Amino acid sequence: MKINSNFDNLVPNYLFAEVAKRTNDYIAKNPDKPVIKMGIGDVTLPLAPVVVEAIKKGADDLSKKETFKGYPDYEGYDFVREAISKYYKSFGADVAANEILVNDGAKSDCANIGDIFSSDNVVLVTDPVYPVYVDSNIMAGRKIVYANATEENGFCAMPPKGVHSDIIYLCSPNNPTGSAYTKEQLLEWVNYANENDAIIIYDCAYESFITDDCPRSIFQIPGARTCAIELCSLSKTAGFTGTRGGYTVIPRDLERDGHNIYNLWYRRLSTKYNGVSWPIQCGIAAVFSEEGLSQIQENINYYRKNAKVITETFDRLGLSYTGGKNSPYVWVKCPNGMGSWEFFDLLLNEVQVIGTPGEGFGECGKGYFRFTSFGSYENTVEAMKRIENLLK
Ligand code: PLP
């Protein structure tokens, strides 16, 4: 018996393990010094009340013979897909309910979508990158090429001239850099994908944090229906990190290599997946109700306020950064030419604040650092006060 030897090509994910190790060692030696964690990508505020009520009612339905539900449809219940389609229409993206597939969060689909594509395809990712895009393709044995996101291009990597690719992962607003593509920039990517007969896997897990006119969906861009699949998550939008819920959009007429992409994905889903539970789908539909959209906005605004505390501190310190405006992430250039880990140790040892070293997200992350706005307001203010006193 042989294992999938592509697993030997994975680089061990030292980043979060190393962050945890250094943090825990410090806490063990300094139990009297409270550490503030601003590296976490998890939310801290509870689900919206209308969502909780819908999930409870859904659970109640399962307790009675008349309303009991068994296996759901693989692609989700129609009323949930209708609610999401209506949401898309609210910002001008024409996505039909029958192009939406409800899922248990974006990570599974973004790692599994590769099942329908040949391992001969060349994958393009932007660097720094959400590690799932890279690792899932290494597991499948695909070649990966990188488009660099740097200070010069505002951390919005653009299509590399003269480089062919078949599968392109874009994330906007971006994790980890917090940058968001404009309509013009996304149009360049859509044109590149159509010219290369490629497919863009567009991850918009943070679309609800956009405050300006950057697109929330790739389907706001002309030409996207012939080259894009979109993945979205309710994890950060509506606090579903533990509840699990998201959706994937595949245009019904999207084709490659003589095959309909929706049908291929549906075939894969029906073989390897049995859908999202009734109570959670009720909760997902509640997110997209008028009341739900208004209630989740309160949490998003709370995190936005934290992001503002962070960016205002960096403005006063004269630090160069992206994000915060359209994203819960703030990506900052380490001061005085410090390396990411050097800055990590400085913040931990001197002011007991934890962030994420940028180099864990790729070569272009070297010398950068990611802060998140998902903590409490009080902790964010305190952490920024400590950093300002240290660096001013
Ligand atoms: N995509 C990006 C860019 C993310 O940052 C995350 C989570 O951090 C996900 C997808 C995964 O989302 P989910 O919790 O829905 O699996």
Side-chain angles (χ1 to χ4, degrees), residues 221-240:
I221 308 300
R225 289 186 63 88
T226 55
C227 68
I229 291 174
E230 182 157 294
L231 309 172
C232 199
S233 163
L234 294 182
S235 282
K236 313 302 156 79
T237 296
F240 268 58

Side-chain angles (χ1 to χ4, degrees), residues 12-21 131 341 356-361:
N13 192 350
Y14 290 124
L15 177 70
F16 291 102
E18 186 62 23
V19 165
K21 185 183 173 305
W341 281 108
T356 311
E359 66 184 77
F361 299 100

Side-chain angles (χ1 to χ4, degrees), residues 41 104-108 110 130 133 171 175 203 205-206 232-236 240-241 244-245 329:
D104 60 356
K107 192 181 195 173
S108 326
C110 88
Y130 176 55
Y133 313 149
C171 177
N175 178 12
D203 183 342
Y206 300 94
C232 199
S233 163
L234 294 182
S235 282
K236 313 302 156 79
F240 268 58
T241 51
R244 311 304 302 140
Y329 298 120

Side-chain angles (χ1 to χ4, degrees), residues 274-328:
N274 256 338
V276 177
S277 75
W278 169 251
I280 300 306
Q281 291 206 47
C282 292
I284 294 173
V287 168
F288 294 100
S289 66
E290 209 173 304
E291 218 180 343
L293 289 171
S294 143
Q295 288 181 3
I296 61 166
Q297 204 54 46
E298 284 174 33
N299 288 7
I300 293 169
N301 286 341
Y302 181 95
Y303 298 133
R304 277 195 186 126
K305 198 167 141 201
N306 287 348
K308 198 147 189 274
V309 170
I310 301 170
T311 55
E312 284 177 353
T313 306
F314 294 168
D315 283 338
R316 286 193 297 278
L317 288 168
L319 295 179
S320 161
Y321 66 88
T322 50
K325 181 175 158 211
N326 288 325
S327 161

Side-chain angles (χ1 to χ4, degrees), residues 30-308:
N30 304 276
D32 53 324
K33 294 201 173 150
V35 168
I36 301 179
K37 293 185 179 169
M38 296 192 63
I40 48 160
D42 202 349
V43 292
T44 51
L45 294 174
L47 295 175
V50 67
V51 174
V52 175
E53 278 316 305
I55 294 174
K56 280 187 185 165
K57 186 183 168 299
D60 206 35
D61 290 342
L62 300 182
S63 73
K64 291 177 232 131
K65 195 159 184 270
E66 307 73 55
T67 48
F68 174 77
K69 301 274 185 297
Y71 287 123
D73 300 331
Y74 301 114
E75 67 274 41
Y77 288 103
D78 286 347
F79 73 99
V80 186
R81 301 162 84 205
E82 290 289 351
I84 299 170
S85 169
K86 195 170 152 215
Y87 175 66
Y88 268 101
K89 289 196 175 79
S90 73
F91 51 80
D94 199 7
V95 168
N98 72 357
E99 299 178 309
I100 295 165
L101 302 107
V102 179
N103 62 29
D104 60 356
K107 192 181 195 173
S108 326
D109 279 11
C110 88
N112 292 328
I113 193 84
D115 277 11
I116 63 172
F117 301 119
S118 160
S119 55
D120 295 340
N121 288 308
V122 175
V123 171
L124 185 147
V125 300
T126 62
D127 175 3
V129 62
Y130 176 55
V132 178
Y133 313 149
V134 172
D135 288 353
S136 58
N137 280 293
I138 289 177
M139 289 174 189
R142 290 195 191 94
K143 180 182 169 194
I144 300 176
V145 295
Y146 292 85
N148 292 344
T150 60
E151 201 170 357
E152 287 68 44
N153 57 30
F155 286 96
C156 287
M158 296 308 295
K161 301 260 175 311
V163 176
H164 170 80
S165 59
D166 304 294
I167 305 171
I168 301 154
Y169 287 81
L170 298 179
C171 177
S172 180
N174 190 270
N175 178 12
T177 71
S179 61
Y181 283 119
T182 62
K183 283 199 173 105
E184 294 70 28
Q185 288 172 324
L186 271 188
L187 182 61
E188 268 191 59
W189 276 110
V190 165
N191 291 341
Y192 167 84
N194 278 321
E195 281 157 19
N196 280 272
D197 198 33
I199 284 190
I200 295 174
I201 316 278
Y202 191 72
D203 183 342
C204 55
Y206 300 94
E207 60 81 16
S208 59
F209 286 84
I210 291 175
T211 56
D212 59 17
D213 61 358
C214 284
R216 286 162 166 263
S217 161
I218 196 152
F219 297 114
Q220 289 171 266
I221 308 300
R225 289 186 63 88
T226 55
C227 68
I229 291 174
E230 182 157 294
L231 309 172
C232 199
S233 163
L234 294 182
S235 282
K236 313 302 156 79
T237 296
F240 268 58
T241 51
T243 309
R244 311 304 302 140
Y247 45 95
T248 291
V249 178
I250 306 181
R252 278 303 184 110
D253 42 3
L254 179 60
E255 294 197 348
R256 283 293 179 278
D257 198 15
H259 288 78
N260 178 280
I261 298 295
Y262 183 100
N263 292 347
L264 280 184
W265 180 240
Y266 191 86
R267 183 74 179 82
R268 188 260 172 219
L269 270 194
S270 55
T271 303
K272 296 196 180 183
Y273 174 75
N274 256 338
V276 177
S277 75
W278 169 251
I280 300 306
Q281 291 206 47
C282 292
I284 294 173
V287 168
F288 294 100
S289 66
E290 209 173 304
E291 218 180 343
L293 289 171
S294 143
Q295 288 181 3
I296 61 166
Q297 204 54 46
E298 284 174 33
N299 288 7
I300 293 169
N301 286 341
Y302 181 95
Y303 298 133
R304 277 195 186 126
K305 198 167 141 201
N306 287 348
K308 198 147 189 274

